[in-house]
């Protein structure tokens, strides 16, 4: 039996896919309910009033009807369409990396308003600045939120405060000359990591593209992949019991 309740929430559309002839499944992360998968009926058949509002990156106020298996989108109002992102292939690619990470991290039925706010903030920043560090900063912040904040102020092995010359994802942070392993990092990249993770994000976001921003970007992507893989494995282990 359908529960039949109607609820409203704020959401960011992560991805959509076809269902049957005319419908579309909308995967979104919501402020109040975590990840939600819902059906938008008839959006592919006609020029639906809300079909165009339900595109990836869209920040929407949405009304849903609790269905037996899937909820149904009954209304959607645009809060921010992020048109600048959608009109730019490079920005779309960068936004997609964040949407994909959130899609994999957010669970259905697991409320995480902080993750939602961070995504909304990062999309807005991506929409409004030229910074090469929007996505990597988002990744480092998300990892911290998930409990995997790396050590970037001292050597994660011996506690020495420098110079820090390497970063090892498995060890969980930066390393000194004596303990070095993992990836070599420049002093400039270490400073950027310290800014991002130490409450000075705006300073990092003001940096133009440089070899150091590339280093931070590369490390962030690998750290997120490492974390997601490990989590996937732990879920598999849990499921097998
Ligand atoms: Zn050390």
């Amino acid at each position: 039996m359908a529960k039949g309740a109607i609820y409203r929430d704020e959401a960011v559309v992560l991805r959509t896919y076809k269902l049957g002839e005319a419908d579309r499944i909308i995967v979104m992360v919501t402020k109040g309910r975590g990840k939600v998968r819902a059906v938008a009926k008839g959006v592919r058949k006609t020029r639906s009033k809300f079909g165009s509002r339900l595109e990836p990156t869209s920040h929407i106020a949405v009304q849903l009807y609790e269905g037996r298996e899937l909820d149904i989108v009954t209304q959607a109002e645009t809060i921010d369409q992020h048109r600048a992102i959608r009109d730019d292939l490079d920005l779309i690619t960068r936004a997609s990396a964040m949407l994909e990470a959130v899609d994999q991290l957010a669970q259905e039925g697991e409320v995480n308003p902080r993750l939602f706010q961070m995504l909304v903030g990062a999309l807005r920043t991506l929409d409004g600045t030229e910074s090469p560090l929007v996505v990597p900063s988002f990744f480092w912040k998300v990892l911290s939120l998930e409990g995997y904040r790396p050590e970037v102020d001292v050597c994660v092995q011996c506690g020495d405060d420098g110079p820090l010359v390497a970063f090892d994802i498995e060890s969980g942070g930066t390393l000194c000359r004596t303990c070095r392993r993992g990836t070599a990092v420049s002093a400039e990249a270490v400073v950027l990591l310290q800014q991002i993770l130490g409450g000075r994000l705006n300073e990092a976001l003001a940096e133009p593209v440089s070899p150091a921003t590339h280093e931070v970007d590369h490390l962030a992507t690998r750290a997120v992949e490492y974390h997601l893989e490990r989590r996937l494995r732990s879920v598999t282990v849990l499921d097998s019991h």
Side-chain angles (χ1 to χ4, degrees):
M1 290 296 285
K3 282 178 267 179
I6 284 175
Y7 64 97
R8 296 188 141 271
D9 211 333
E10 216 182 289
V12 173
V13 178
L14 300 175
R15 66 189 158 92
T16 74
Y17 54 94
K18 293 173 185 176
L19 178 73
E21 287 294 302
D23 304 342
R24 200 169 259 287
I25 298 278
I26 313 295
V27 181
M28 56 195 132
V29 62
T30 67
K31 193 181 197 171
R33 297 197 170 205
K35 188 157 80 174
V36 170
R37 261 178 349 121
V39 191
K41 287 190 178 288
V43 288
R44 286 167 49 231
K45 211 170 214 173
T46 54
R47 286 274 162 216
S48 142
K49 64 181 185 298
F50 58 70
S52 62
R53 296 172 196 157
L54 300 171
E55 295 288 336
T57 72
S58 278
H59 180 194
I60 51 173
V62 67
Q63 181 179 291
L64 298 109
Y65 176 85
E66 271 183 359
R68 192 169 45 184
E69 279 164 24
L70 282 168
D71 294 353
I72 297 160
V73 182
T74 52
Q75 274 181 39
E77 301 296 333
T78 303
I79 295 172
D80 197 336
Q81 213 169 17
H82 298 297
R83 194 171 290 277
I85 294 177
R86 286 210 216 144
D87 290 346
D88 184 317
L89 193 59
D90 170 56
L91 290 182
I92 282 262
T93 307
R94 288 158 69 191
S96 298
M98 297 196 290
L99 299 182
E100 205 180 304
V102 170
D103 192 11
Q104 294 185 63
L105 283 165
Q107 303 297 312
E108 287 176 47
E110 193 182 288
V111 183
N112 193 341
R114 185 82 190 101
L115 180 64
F116 175 81
Q117 288 301 352
M118 281 168 60
L119 179 61
V120 167
L123 286 172
R124 198 175 294 144
T125 309
L126 193 62
D127 201 338
T129 67
E130 298 282 304
S131 168
L133 289 177
V134 177
V135 178
S137 299
F138 175 75
F139 282 172
W140 289 118
K141 294 281 189 186
V142 165
L143 285 172
S144 300
L145 180 69
E146 293 277 306
Y148 296 94
R149 184 194 183 280
E151 174 59 63
V152 293
D153 293 315
V154 296
C155 172
V156 70
Q157 183 74 36
C158 71
D160 205 293
D161 63 357
L164 302 163
V165 298
F167 187 96
D168 186 49
I169 291 165
E170 228 165 309
S171 308
T174 44
L175 293 138
C176 74
R177 270 188 226 290
T178 315
C179 309
R180 66 187 305 167
R181 63 175 164 293
T183 311
V185 286
S186 66
E188 292 80 9
V190 171
V191 169
L192 290 175
L193 287 171
Q194 290 169 344
Q195 289 173 341
I196 292 167
L197 290 159
R200 290 180 293 144
L201 183 60
N202 286 340
E203 290 174 48
L205 291 180
E207 287 295 316
V209 178
S210 70
T213 63
H214 281 296
E215 285 179 70
V216 171
D217 190 359
H218 184 64
L219 280 176
T221 303
R222 282 188 35 218
V224 165
E225 283 168 2
Y226 175 79
H227 173 63
L228 285 171
E229 266 172 40
R230 199 167 44 161
R231 224 185 61 158
L232 216 61
R233 275 201 303 273
S234 70
V235 169
T236 312
V237 170
L238 286 174
D239 282 351
S240 69
H241 285 292

